[in-house]
Amino acid sequence: MTQAPVPLLLRALAGETLPRPPVWFMRQAGRSLPEYRELRTRAKDFIAFCHDPQMAAEATLQPMRRFPFDAAIVFADILLIPRALGQDVWFEAGEGPRLGELPPVETLAAQVEASTARLAAIGETLSLVRGQLEPERALIGFAGGPWTVATYMIEGRGSDRSAARTFAYQHPQTLDRLLEVLVDSTARYLVMQAKAGAQALKIFESWAEGLAEDVFERIVVGPHKAIVEKVRGAGVTAPFIGFPRGAGALVETYAAQVPVEGVALDTQAPFALGRRLQAQGKTIQGALDNLLLRAGGPALDARVEAYLEAWGQGPYIFNLGHGILPDTPIEHIARVVERITRG
Ligand code: CP3
């Protein structure tokens, strides 16, 4: 009997330097694909789509059929957690997420156990996808970072986060308690995802920018450490990728303190910073500008080569610094993925 191949993504996260990096793209499923836009018309709304395992599995697999990506990421959203905790969440067409009034934190806390059960459909999506995906391609589960999710819960929508940051200063105890509730529900959700077939777990801290070091340690580093420790405590061994987007120089504080195997870098990450993290034993992921992917041309080709040269000598996962934009030409995606998988 031949042994099932270990997916390249998992080998990279185990610290291996490979002949070529594995590749996947944030938001590889979604509106950049015509087949997604078609599927989307059949769902009542985006939240219902995420909670329909058949449809969500199909959306997860669409980019895998079109491109030779090394990993799929489950089709879901970071805002499913606040909804599962009892805060209203909906998506305004063309505008983005909207959330109802923030319930008292203890009301949310009382829903932590129930929240995991309310997210069972995402586990079913993962099982369906794992059953259909080739063994050499990895399946990634994810959740939002507690601070990023809290910014949406506090502001009620996407924003410049100034109200959430002000809240962090004016109501530190309430914020810390809210983050604790989010750590608990997120850890349970990730354990459930790993048991359902997720082989790697990513924490999207999309709004980690603009925080002073002590605040960053309190509201980003601490909660991420707590999530990883809780998930590990539950016996899950799947590797973690942490993505403190916008953290700038504090990425190094993050990497030194949070026991994640992989650190996802955003578009501003210097080559030298990536190499330092690799030298410290982290696998790095990133960091191609999604605007450059959309723009295409010689500048895109040159930048791809530059990443391969700068980061290819250590454990590296090729990816973007932020998600694919809906109007990105499919040929640009195909060209980059072909270049990486060619080796
Ligand atoms: O392919 C994948 O990356 C997997 C699926 C995925 C989605 N959202 C699907 C989605 C993932 C990993 C996310 C994460 C997410 N969601 C983040 C963190 C990453 C980041 O981009 O910073 C954030 C901040 C959200 C919250 C969110 N969801 C916003 C702000 C929006 C509206 C903006 C937009 O692009 O429309 C969403 C909606 C959303 N999530 C869509 C998709 C495919 C578009 C919804 C639609 O089809 O109408």
Side-chain angles (χ1 to χ4, degrees):
M1 212 176 87
T2 50
Q3 282 223 308
V6 178
L8 288 186
L9 182 98
L10 300 183
R11 290 175 58 187
L13 285 169
E16 252 188 87
T17 300
L18 297 160
R20 61 122 178 131
V23 55
W24 69 281
F25 284 170
M26 289 186 269
R27 288 283 170 100
Q28 60 192 22
R31 286 167 301 185
S32 60
L33 301 181
E35 59 270 33
Y36 171 82
R37 295 195 293 269
E38 198 284 316
L39 184 65
R40 178 77 173 76
T41 61
R42 289 191 245 155
K44 180 162 89 30
D45 56 53
F46 179 66
I47 299 271
F49 189 157
C50 292
H51 284 274
D52 180 325
Q54 304 288 343
M55 285 185 64
E58 176 58 22
T60 306
L61 289 164
Q62 283 176 340
M64 304 308 287
R65 296 195 192 103
R66 204 184 252 276
F67 310 107
F69 283 127
D70 294 299
I73 182 162
V74 67
F75 190 86
D77 198 85
I78 66 164
L79 298 179
L80 302 183
I81 286 250
R83 182 175 178 276
L85 288 170
Q87 185 175 13
D88 266 358
V89 179
W90 68 100
F91 284 80
E92 270 327 318
E95 287 189 44
R98 292 287 183 277
L99 291 85
E101 203 188 326
L102 179 67
V105 181
E106 292 316 315
T107 307
L108 297 166
Q111 298 296 313
V112 166
E113 212 177 306
S115 72
T116 317
R118 291 186 189 120
L119 294 163
I122 287 75
E124 282 177 52
T125 305
L126 284 156
S127 310
L128 283 175
V129 173
R130 194 51 278 173
Q132 289 177 56
L133 200 62
E134 301 86 337
E136 62 272 21
R137 304 170 100 185
L139 178 56
I140 302 169
F142 75 92
W147 164 245
T148 294
V149 173
T151 67
Y152 285 96
M153 295 176 79
I154 293 165
E155 305 246 3
R157 58 193 299 161
S159 68
D160 67 356
R161 275 81 61 194
S162 56
R165 238 155 82 202
T166 304
F167 188 97
Y169 296 124
Q170 290 182 331
H171 310 285
Q173 281 164 350
T174 310
L175 180 77
D176 288 350
R177 179 73 181 123
L178 174 59
L179 294 175
E180 212 173 77
V181 170
L182 289 169
V183 162
D184 264 5
S185 58
T186 302
R188 286 165 167 271
Y189 178 45
L190 291 173
V191 169
M192 183 274 276
Q193 291 190 47
K195 287 186 177 158
Q199 297 158 290
L201 301 169
K202 181 164 176 187
I203 308 176
F204 284 86
E205 194 73 270
S206 299
W207 304 133
E209 88 290 358
L211 303 172
E213 188 168 23
D214 60 326
V215 181
F216 181 78
E217 288 185 349
R218 180 183 127 221
I219 71 183
V220 175
V221 169
H224 283 229
K225 266 177 82 172
I227 288 173
V228 176
E229 280 159 13
K230 277 177 191 280
V231 172
R232 293 268 174 272
V236 170
T237 55
F240 272 89
I241 304 171
F243 183 31
R245 189 169 81 91
L250 294 180
V251 171
E252 298 199 68
T253 304
Y254 181 90
Q257 294 186 33
V258 184
V260 288
E261 284 75 6
V263 177
L265 301 174
D266 61 37
T267 53
Q268 69 168 314
F271 292 150
L273 182 144
R275 282 195 290 254
R276 279 199 301 280
L277 297 184
Q278 289 174 320
Q280 287 156 21
K282 298 290 184 187
T283 298
I284 56 169
Q285 174 183 286
L288 183 70
D289 194 341
N290 56 352
L291 295 168
L292 182 53
L293 182 71
R294 184 174 66 179
L300 173 60
D301 293 347
R303 189 71 187 172
V304 169
E305 296 307 322
Y307 280 121
L308 291 174
E309 184 161 332
W311 289 345
Q313 310 310 310
Y316 176 39
I317 299 163
F318 196 96
N319 204 311
L320 305 175
H322 203 195
I324 299 181
L325 297 161
D327 54 348
T328 301
I330 283 173
E331 317 81 73
H332 297 184
I333 303 170
R335 184 177 174 86
V336 175
V337 178
E338 194 279 327
R339 170 64 190 93
I340 304 302
T341 53
R342 179 161 34 100

